[in-house]
Amino acid sequence: MTMKGKRVDDVSIVCSNAVSPILLSFAAKGQHSAGYLGKQISKIIYKLGALYASLLASLVSVLSHGPWGVLLSLGVFGMTGLIILSATFKLGRTIAEKVHQVICTTDDSGEQRSRFSYGDLQDLPAPVQRYLTYCMPEGQPRIKYCAIKQHGWFRIRENPGLVSTEGWKKVRANQYFSTEEPAYVWDAYIWLAPLVWIRGWDCYLGGKGELFWRLFSCFTLVDFGGPEIDQSALVRYLSEACYYPTALLPSHRLRWTAVDDNHAKATLMHAQQKVSGVFEFNSIGQIVSMCSEDRSRQLGDGSSSQDKWTGYYSNWAERAGIMIPLEMESVWNLISGRFSFARLTVVDYKCFSRIGRTSMCTRR
């Protein structure tokens, strides 16, 4: 059988030769000056590109055999869809188990009290007192755990070049925090391109941090753990404590140190980890930023570098009786310059205490 004067086998070879270099060139661009995640994506795209080119050539050949060829092609694509759905379900179940661990995490120190009082602010640095009186009313129940939904943008690497990871990419995430015993799970989708996504988590559970990402929820790109990840995760927990501000009250884990009228240093200790960050406050009492040098950045070769990290907070609003920042930006302060890699907006917020949902609490 021929197609416009060419045999089907010849058309298959032409398709393979035409498509394969294009797809593989996308991956090749990511092998230079990319971050670790970008390079892992490049490797998988390289393999998938070769596979896709072969499948396309085979599809052209199969379709030439009439209805049975069409049915066979549909069956192949259907099985691929089922594999992705199965992998997505299993990954979702794993994340649900981690979220359950967060919600069930409790404090065994016996230190927790039920409500916040202005008497708790004695001896704290002035800007910290200003912040806590701004964000919470007298009698605010101590938050046990909270959940937020975020929309925003994420950038995997600083320098563009890799088609699939170039520039800012859309993020949809759900995050769950425990405050009595520090723990969180950030469950996120990052859309690299139409119909191309990665899903994974950044979590801190039982004093251990973990980074895990999969392309199409199937192919593992990143699976990091270890002391540096543990420390970085605890820094993130501290930086996001503005969503559960009762965790920023002084305790056996948290200590505040005065810096000046607008800055104070928080030191958090948990599970043999000790991290700190300098918070900047404005005259109203809002947190403007937090800087820490205890957070590690993953490099292209799989190693890590402990660089200065800054989080910026803006668009403060009342949610569940608490003032929280709806927008947050994460920035690496590198020798080469400022690298902003995440801009997230809170679109839904819920928090709970031992008394119940804190939305029952009203501000003055």
Side-chain angles (χ1 to χ4, degrees):
M1 181 177 178
T2 61
M3 187 178 297
K4 292 186 179 181
K6 293 186 178 182
R7 291 187 302 108
V8 171
D9 292 342
D10 294 334
V11 174
S12 301
I13 294 172
V14 170
C15 289
S16 178
N17 291 338
V19 174
S20 184
I22 296 174
L23 293 174
L24 301 186
S25 68
F26 288 175
K29 290 181 180 180
Q31 298 300 317
H32 304 286
S33 66
Y36 181 83
L37 181 55
K39 286 193 173 183
Q40 292 298 97
I41 294 174
S42 299
K43 291 176 183 178
I44 290 184
I45 289 178
Y46 191 91
K47 295 176 182 178
L48 291 180
L51 178 62
Y52 179 77
S54 300
L55 288 175
L56 181 61
S58 300
L59 179 61
V60 172
S61 178
V62 169
L63 289 176
S64 67
H65 293 84
W68 289 109
V70 174
L71 290 175
L72 178 61
S73 301
L74 292 175
V76 170
F77 285 113
M79 285 299 296
T80 302
L82 286 175
I83 291 172
I84 292 177
L85 286 175
S86 176
T88 301
F89 173 77
K90 290 180 179 179
L91 189 62
R93 186 170 59 184
T94 300
I95 293 173
E97 292 172 353
K98 292 181 177 295
V99 171
H100 181 72
Q101 291 181 52
V102 170
I103 294 175
C104 293
T105 299
T106 57
D107 178 41
D108 58 0
S109 68
E111 183 176 325
Q112 291 292 331
R113 287 171 287 175
S114 61
R115 293 183 179 272
F116 161 67
S117 168
Y118 290 145
D120 298 331
L121 306 183
Q122 294 179 3
D123 301 325
L124 287 179
V128 180
Q129 293 189 36
R130 192 163 66 240
Y131 161 68
L132 292 172
T133 54
Y134 164 78
C135 72
M136 293 185 293
E138 175 82 20
Q140 167 67 42
R142 298 275 180 143
I143 298 170
K144 184 179 185 296
Y145 65 91
C146 77
I148 61 176
K149 180 180 292 185
Q150 297 169 314
H151 291 176
W153 302 90
F154 191 88
R155 190 161 53 157
I156 293 175
R157 43 176 295 192
E158 182 177 8
N159 299 316
L162 177 61
V163 172
S164 63
T165 58
E166 184 175 352
W168 290 95
K169 298 302 175 184
K170 186 178 296 185
V171 179
R172 297 291 183 267
N174 293 294
Q175 191 164 8
Y176 308 87
F177 305 91
S178 167
T179 65
E180 294 187 350
E181 183 76 16
Y184 72 82
V185 173
W186 188 64
D187 166 25
Y189 283 91
I190 300 178
W191 297 91
L192 304 179
L195 302 179
V196 181
W197 73 90
I198 60 176
R199 188 188 184 187
W201 62 77
D202 175 3
C203 72
Y204 183 76
L205 290 168
K208 300 294 182 181
E210 183 183 13
L211 285 173
F212 187 89
W213 290 99
R214 278 185 174 176
L215 181 64
F216 300 124
S217 302
C218 296
F219 306 99
T220 300
L221 301 172
V222 168
D223 186 2
F224 287 150
E228 292 178 338
I229 301 298
D230 300 343
Q231 180 173 288
S232 297
L234 190 57
V235 172
R236 177 169 182 173
Y237 177 87
L238 176 62
S239 71
E240 295 176 335
C242 54
Y243 297 126
Y244 36 95
T246 55
L248 289 175
L249 292 168
S251 68
H252 65 292
R253 294 193 184 97
L254 185 76
R255 297 289 184 269
W256 286 99
T257 305
V259 176
D260 57 34
D261 290 342
N262 294 315
H263 296 82
K265 179 180 180 180
T267 300
L268 178 62
M269 295 166 285
H270 182 251
Q272 299 181 338
Q273 298 286 338
K274 182 179 180 180
V275 300
S276 63
V278 176
F279 287 80
E280 178 185 0
F281 306 87
N282 61 20
S283 59
I284 301 175
Q286 298 169 342
I287 299 175
V288 176
S289 67
M290 174 195 148
C291 296
S292 178
E293 297 184 357
D294 294 331
R295 193 168 179 176
S296 298
R297 180 173 61 97
Q298 300 303 313
L299 303 179
D301 59 1
S303 63
S304 61
S305 173
Q306 193 162 305
D307 298 304
K308 183 180 179 181
W309 172 88
T310 303
Y312 295 94
Y313 311 83
S314 59
N315 192 16
W316 288 73
E318 182 179 339
R319 295 292 184 271
I322 300 169
M323 299 298 293
I324 64 168
L326 298 183
E327 297 179 4
M328 183 176 178
E329 179 182 11
S330 290
V331 175
W332 288 113
N333 305 108
L334 308 177
I335 296 176
S336 59
R338 182 180 185 272
F339 172 39
S340 173
F341 65 91
R343 297 171 181 171
L344 301 173
T345 300
V346 175
V347 296
D348 190 27
Y349 175 87
K350 295 180 177 66
C351 60
F352 302 81
S353 69
R354 291 186 179 275
I355 298 173
R357 288 185 59 169
T358 61
S359 57
M360 298 174 63
C361 179
T362 58
R363 295 181 62 82
R364 300 178 305 279

